[in-house]
Amino acid sequence: MKVMLVEEREVKAFLEQLQQEGLLTEQTRPVWEMILPKRLKRMYDVLNERTRYITVLMEAVDDPHNQAAVLRTAEAFGVQDVHIVTGKAPFSPNRLVTRYADQWLTLHRKPDIETAIGDLKRQGYQVYASYLGEGAIPLSDLNVSKPTVLLFGNEHSGVSEEALSLADGTFIIPMYGFVQSFNISVAAALALYDVTERARRQAGTRYYLPPEERKALYEQWMWQTLHPRIRKQLEQQGYTVR
């Protein structure tokens, strides 16, 4: 009984904390009252590590397994946004590989690489492309003192000439064996691990989401974690997530 009372107090204190932070409101009460506190806590912990300081741009990545692997890697390292320019094949990531990681991400589909890079630069990002050619700097030398986009190209042809001309620079992951390159999914994992670790230390609070973005994302996650049947019932009652 005492243990139960302690747990109840902890739950009450946690819900009050989320309300004080503006993540739970009276408007969203119909949603969050249907979610177990343990689930709310898990989403809250993940939210606290989310970033838009580092983001990913995929150009003409055609293989569904590679598409999925990059999404799963981005989600695992707390990167919220992934920007996509399709190539010869549609963007249709393999569900067995993503394990639905993509449902927690914000995907931005762009019509072409010029638009994608232009939009990101206008938002204050520097764009660095993964590239095996001359002039590429080692990944560890990539300066992450400002918001950064990691650009990955097609599995076979790499980043396009147009993308290279628009990017701020190129990087390479040093290799010391006989192989000349990594698979894109491996390259993305290595690059994101290094860059997010360094950016988290250098950028400080700038690395994490501001309050208004935290609130919007948390509400979105709460909504999508509900069973579709419950979402439909709430919609019929006039409730919709922003």
Side-chain angles (χ1 to χ4, degrees):
M1 179 64 71
K2 288 183 179 180
V3 172
M4 185 177 297
L5 289 175
V6 169
E7 289 179 349
E8 288 176 356
R9 286 199 298 269
E10 290 177 346
V11 167
K12 183 179 179 182
F14 174 62
L15 295 179
E16 288 176 350
Q17 176 189 341
L18 293 188
Q19 291 176 76
Q20 290 170 1
E21 292 184 24
L23 297 176
L24 299 183
T25 65
E26 285 303 310
Q27 182 184 1
T28 59
R29 183 179 288 274
V31 174
W32 56 264
E33 283 190 336
M34 293 188 182
I35 303 173
L36 291 173
K38 183 178 180 181
R39 183 64 167 171
L40 291 173
K41 179 64 164 56
R42 175 60 178 157
M43 291 191 293
Y44 177 74
D45 290 342
V46 172
L47 181 72
N48 287 337
E49 298 298 330
R50 271 303 198 256
T51 189
R52 285 191 162 110
Y53 188 89
I54 302 296
T55 190
V56 171
L57 171 56
M58 284 191 277
E59 181 196 25
V61 176
D62 290 332
D63 184 84
H65 284 76
N66 288 333
Q67 295 170 356
V70 174
L71 294 180
R72 188 170 172 179
T73 296
E75 201 285 323
F77 286 118
V79 172
Q80 183 59 36
D81 293 332
V82 175
H83 303 259
I84 301 147
V85 175
T86 56
K88 295 179 180 178
F91 188 79
S92 182
N94 187 298
R95 289 290 186 183
L96 293 176
V97 178
T98 63
R99 300 291 181 91
Y100 296 96
D102 51 323
Q103 72 177 325
W104 307 108
L105 299 173
T106 303
L107 304 183
H108 306 266
R109 297 172 185 264
K110 301 294 182 176
D112 52 66
I113 195 64
E114 182 181 7
T115 301
I117 292 179
D119 288 349
L120 287 162
K121 285 189 173 183
R122 280 188 287 274
Q123 294 172 42
Y125 286 98
Q126 62 178 0
V127 180
Y128 272 80
S130 176
Y131 181 59
L132 298 176
E134 210 172 305
I137 63 173
L139 176 65
S140 58
D141 289 346
L142 200 162
N143 188 334
V144 292
S145 62
K146 64 181 295 186
T148 301
V149 178
L150 298 180
L151 166 58
F152 300 96
N154 179 264
E155 297 91 339
H156 306 294
S157 56
V159 176
S160 69
E161 290 296 326
E162 182 180 13
L164 290 174
S165 69
L166 295 168
D168 296 294
T170 58
F171 71 88
I172 189 171
I173 301 171
M175 290 167 282
Y176 305 99
F178 290 108
V179 296
Q180 296 298 305
S181 65
F182 290 113
N183 176 275
I184 179 179
S185 61
V186 176
L190 292 171
L192 283 172
Y193 173 76
D194 174 83
V195 168
T196 55
E197 283 294 301
R198 290 193 290 116
R200 189 179 289 108
R201 293 193 299 269
Q202 289 189 35
T205 56
R206 291 187 299 137
Y207 183 81
Y208 303 98
L209 300 180
E212 64 276 10
E213 292 184 18
R214 283 165 49 83
K215 181 178 184 295
L217 191 57
Y218 197 69
E219 289 180 357
Q220 178 187 326
W221 287 356
M222 287 193 296
W223 179 251
Q224 68 191 35
T225 202
L226 295 177
H227 190 280
R229 176 178 52 81
I230 296 176
R231 290 203 300 265
K232 186 175 181 180
Q233 290 174 353
L234 289 172
E235 287 172 344
Q236 291 172 344
Q237 296 169 17
Y239 182 89
T240 56
V241 68
R242 291 185 302 170

